[in-house]
Amino acid sequence: MFRNPNQPTDSFSKPDTDSVDYKRRFNTGFQLLSHSEFADAFLIFSNISEKTEDVAALFNLALCEKNAGDDQKAILTLEKALNLAKKIQSPEIDAAFSSAVLSKNYAALSQKEKESAAYLSPMPQEYPRLFSKSAKEKITRVLIDVCLKCELWDKIIILSASLQGKGYINVEKALETAKQKK
């Protein structure tokens, strides 16, 4: 059903991220990853990431690499995803985000997410376009986790600066560890 990402194919040579075929492949990979079926999700997201620069696909590929224990590759993939995400702006949603911060329910839900491991869940395809700020923060949080595992203390300190004061438990713990170990 799924092809080896190292085998060339004509049907997926230049994907259009809005095409039905691309969305079908992405959604299949997303579902597999959501059910911890990392091997097949890895094949799909490797294939997608070889052919196009899709922030969510790269993030999901990095989750697979992280779960495979290939931390160095996960770091490179997350850095690529973060650099691409920095180029995306979603002004209408980001503006709504600013107003939504005033909402009691939004604030309560946001706090629960900061205290949970939800940032380790797969990223839907449209997420970076709809929530560019949140996508960048999610990518950075996972990148910090992998850097912590690899004991990259200076990198953790640098990455944490953009998330300081946001209340992310994993970031605060990683930063504290990095400062102690450095």
Side-chain angles (χ1 to χ4, degrees):
M1 179 172 160
F2 301 106
R3 70 172 203 79
N4 182 323
N6 297 321
Q7 293 176 341
T9 178
D10 292 332
S11 66
F12 200 62
S13 57
K14 292 193 179 191
D16 171 6
T17 57
D18 291 325
S19 76
V20 173
D21 184 53
Y22 183 87
K23 288 182 183 217
R24 180 182 54 79
R25 289 173 191 256
F26 185 97
N27 289 335
T28 299
F30 181 85
Q31 290 300 318
L32 290 166
L33 192 52
S34 296
H35 292 96
S36 300
E37 295 180 40
F38 300 106
D40 289 337
F42 173 77
L43 290 178
I44 289 173
F45 289 118
S46 291
N47 183 281
I48 288 172
S49 297
E50 284 177 4
K51 309 293 182 192
T52 187
E53 294 185 329
D54 182 316
V55 173
L58 286 165
F59 177 83
N60 293 337
L61 174 60
L63 289 181
C64 294
E65 293 165 344
K66 177 181 177 293
N67 279 287
D70 194 349
D71 297 324
Q72 295 303 318
K73 184 67 174 142
I75 288 171
L76 293 174
T77 305
L78 287 163
E79 287 175 339
K80 184 175 181 180
L82 185 58
N83 287 332
L84 288 170
K86 287 178 179 178
K87 297 175 185 176
I88 299 171
Q89 295 296 322
S90 48
E92 62 285 337
I93 299 292
D94 286 344
F97 175 78
S98 297
S99 335
V101 172
L102 303 175
S103 164
K104 181 180 174 183
N105 289 341
Y106 183 88
L109 292 168
S110 181
Q111 185 58 40
K112 285 183 186 252
E113 288 175 13
K114 288 177 182 180
E115 297 167 357
S116 77
Y119 68 98
L120 295 169
S121 61
M123 184 179 289
Q125 185 185 7
E126 295 297 320
Y127 189 79
R129 284 183 252 192
L130 294 174
F131 304 101
S132 60
K133 183 177 178 181
S134 297
K136 288 176 242 179
E137 290 179 2
K138 182 173 177 159
I139 294 166
T140 304
R141 290 180 72 189
V142 175
L143 184 53
I144 288 170
D145 284 356
V146 180
C147 288
L148 180 64
K149 187 175 175 191
C150 294
E151 300 181 353
L152 301 173
W153 312 127
D154 289 333
K155 195 169 196 109
I156 291 168
I157 292 168
I158 291 166
L159 289 167
S160 297
S162 68
L163 301 177
Q164 226 168 359
K166 299 214 176 213
Y168 293 126
I169 303 300
N170 73 306
V171 174
E172 291 171 4
K173 287 181 180 178
L175 183 58
E176 182 180 323
T177 302
K179 286 179 178 178
Q180 288 174 356
K181 300 283 184 172
K182 186 174 176 206

